[in-house]
Amino acid sequence: MLIDDPPSFSDVQEERRRLHHEADVVVVGAGIMGCAVAVAMGKQGRSVLLLEKSLKQPDRIVGELLQPGGVSALEKLGLRDWIGDIDCLEGIDAIPVHGYEVIYYGQGVEIPYPENSDDTARKRPQGRSFHHGRFIQRLREAAMRTPNVTVVETTVTDVVKSGYTDQVLGVESQTKGEKDCFFGHLTIIADGYASKFRKAYIKHQPVSRSKFFGLELIDADLPSPNHGHVVLGEGAPVLLYQIGTHETRALVDVPEHLPSASVKNGGVKGHLRNTVLPSLPKSVRPSFEAALDKGALKSMPNSFLPPSTSRTPGMIMLGDAMNMRHPLTGGGMTVAFNDVVLLSDLLSPEKVPRLEDTQLVLKQMSTFHWRRKNLTSVINILAQALYSLFAANGTMPLHVPFPPSSQSQMPSPTTKN
């Protein structure tokens, strides 16, 4: 008598995810943070459901420059050499970045990334710049190939809570127009800067006093190839960095109520043409003007949101849903990937055998929020302080917009270590 081999544990877990929509972890949002945390936990043997409303390639104008610290964290997460030889920074026409060029009223100063102080044998650190959507699709591909991870295209609409303990048990969603539910011992909300869940679970809300307006320049002649450029002249800062062999991103900060961007003066396009264009390096002006004439102008709010400690049983909020800083310094993805490195260690099966142990998870999350300050407080303060400095003029006060409750938790930008 022949007896079929019993199904493996991984097959049973896969069946639970696909048929019963049950997992150890439910992750909402397959962006930078969501994909990375799904891969990290899947590699640890956790069963993970990664939910995303649209798996089409996104088209955004930020999240395009990964600093060396983010590249290093990506390597620690195994996303530089993954299943099927997937390197998330290869095959997307990514550009090596060696540092910055700061141009002040036409005078440029090159600022290379510092050498590794702990390993002089290695090459000087490099960042990478790329099309955001291409990078996201590589991260999603890595998640789809990770054992224990199932990716589902569905629109999450609400969380599911226990009627007795108020603990989050999972989420409700709409899949192809039909009501759906997904359940996990831990729900991670990583739905980005426009999070639909933030207001209900975080006391602070984002503060935005300006927008980045983006253009894609073709074959721009940059003063320092393989460098990010910060152009300081009339008005707020302008960022220039290559995102492909032929494409360069121009991001122009436009503060709210800017007189030169008023309707009377031709709106934002009038500001770009009359104020920004003349302040750019001469070599960049032709490609900038051509992109402006083409009219493909996109915008994103520049927001600040101080971090908050997760205190909701069964749920964690991460990424831009929980903490944001001005994107001037390009630190957002570095924060996200390093957060995943830290989180995956603190919630590893060795330290938290059962994710349904809510009190232990909350204890580890308290540790997470204190330990992440070593990196994120520096990046957050630097981003806000540099923007306040670079954007300051006779009508704009120099300040760092930390809410009063966060000032006691972070060192002053003027403090010397």
Side-chain angles (χ1 to χ4, degrees):
M1 180 179 177
L2 297 176
I3 300 177
D4 292 335
D5 292 335
S8 67
F9 178 75
S10 61
D11 291 337
V12 172
Q13 294 291 79
E14 176 74 10
E15 180 177 330
R16 283 185 60 216
R17 292 193 298 272
R18 292 195 178 279
L19 297 183
H20 305 293
H21 295 182
E22 297 176 352
D24 296 323
V25 184
V26 174
V27 181
V28 179
I32 297 293
M33 173 63 76
C35 287
V37 75
V39 168
M41 290 193 159
K43 288 175 63 178
Q44 292 177 337
R46 306 284 197 191
S47 178
V48 181
L49 279 162
L50 177 58
L51 313 180
E52 170 57 43
K53 65 180 179 181
S54 175
L55 292 174
K56 294 180 180 179
Q57 181 169 307
D59 184 14
R60 294 181 60 190
I61 61 170
V62 294
E64 297 173 319
L65 199 159
L66 184 63
Q67 304 290 4
V71 174
S72 176
L74 203 65
E75 293 173 352
K76 293 176 182 177
L77 293 169
L79 288 167
R80 293 297 314 273
D81 184 17
W82 190 230
I83 297 173
D85 295 325
I86 292 179
D87 181 335
C88 290
L89 292 178
E90 298 297 331
I92 59 173
D93 197 23
I95 304 298
V97 180
H98 304 305
Y100 277 84
E101 174 90 0
V102 178
I103 302 172
Y104 181 72
Y105 284 93
Q107 298 296 315
V109 176
E110 184 177 336
I111 307 175
Y113 290 131
E115 295 181 356
N116 288 306
S117 60
D118 58 343
D119 187 358
T120 56
R122 292 188 61 184
K123 295 180 179 179
R124 187 182 294 272
Q126 289 185 357
R128 290 290 190 279
S129 54
F130 37 71
H131 286 270
H132 174 83
R134 295 176 187 173
F135 183 53
I136 290 294
Q137 293 304 88
R138 293 295 275 178
L139 290 173
R140 290 173 176 174
E141 184 181 358
M144 291 175 184
R145 294 196 186 192
T146 302
N148 308 311
V149 177
T150 299
V151 182
V152 181
E153 189 171 58
T154 186
T155 301
V156 175
T157 56
D158 203 354
V159 299
V160 177
K161 290 185 176 182
S162 166
Y164 298 98
T165 64
D166 215 30
Q167 179 168 333
V168 173
L169 306 175
V171 297
E172 293 181 1
S173 71
Q174 288 282 327
T175 306
K176 297 180 179 179
E178 299 292 331
K179 184 177 179 180
D180 217 340
C181 290
F182 296 86
F183 299 96
H185 300 307
L186 180 65
T187 298
I188 297 177
I189 304 295
D191 59 342
Y193 78 96
S195 174
K196 68 173 66 175
F197 300 99
R198 181 191 295 121
K199 185 175 291 186
Y201 296 99
I202 292 182
K203 62 180 180 180
H204 300 303
Q205 295 304 307
V207 175
S208 178
R209 294 191 174 94
S210 70
K211 288 184 178 181
F212 260 149
F213 285 83
L215 291 169
E216 187 173 299
L217 316 186
I218 303 300
D219 293 325
D221 184 9
L222 294 176
S224 294
N226 298 106
H227 285 69
H229 293 70
V230 181
V231 182
L232 307 174
E234 297 298 331
V238 177
L239 299 184
L240 301 168
Y241 51 90
Q242 200 172 346
I243 57 174
T245 301
H246 298 284
E247 303 86 25
T248 292
R249 175 68 69 209
L251 292 177
V252 181
D253 186 86
V254 179
E256 58 187 7
H257 311 307
L258 187 67
S260 59
S262 66
V263 175
K264 177 183 177 181
N265 289 312
V268 171
K269 284 194 173 183
H271 170 71
L272 298 182
R273 192 178 300 276
N274 301 322
T275 302
V276 175
L277 180 61
S279 70
L280 296 176
K282 289 183 179 180
S283 63
V284 177
R285 293 176 194 175
S287 57
F288 187 92
E289 189 169 21
L292 191 56
D293 290 339
K294 188 177 180 181
L297 191 64
K298 300 174 183 177
S299 68
M300 286 283 291
N302 296 324
S303 302
F304 173 75
L305 176 67
S308 300
T309 302
S310 294
R311 293 188 174 89
T312 303
M315 191 188 84
I316 298 172
M317 194 165 287
L318 295 173
D320 283 353
M322 183 269 289
N323 180 208
M324 290 186 282
R325 78 290 307 151
H326 195 285
L328 175 68
T329 55
M333 291 188 292
T334 295
V335 169
F337 288 133
N338 278 280
D339 275 354
V340 175
V341 171
L342 176 58
L343 182 75
S344 60
D345 173 55
L346 292 174
L347 296 185
S348 66
E350 293 76 21
K351 295 180 179 178
V352 183
R354 299 166 55 252
L355 290 175
E356 58 265 45
D357 187 344
T358 302
Q359 293 306 311
L360 180 56
V361 171
L362 290 176
K363 178 183 177 181
Q364 292 298 87
M365 288 309 299
S366 178
T367 301
F368 167 79
H369 282 280
W370 278 106
R371 286 179 57 181
R372 75 188 292 272
K373 289 177 184 290
N374 292 331
L375 173 71
T376 58
S377 63
V378 175
I379 293 178
N380 288 342
I381 290 172
L382 183 65
Q384 298 305 121
L386 283 182
Y387 174 68
S388 295
L389 176 65
F390 289 163
N393 57 36
T395 60
M396 296 182 63
L398 177 62
H399 69 286
V400 180
F402 292 137
S405 61
S406 67
Q407 290 177 351
S408 61
Q409 301 175 11
M410 295 183 178
S412 166
T414 60
T415 299
K416 294 183 179 180
N417 294 328

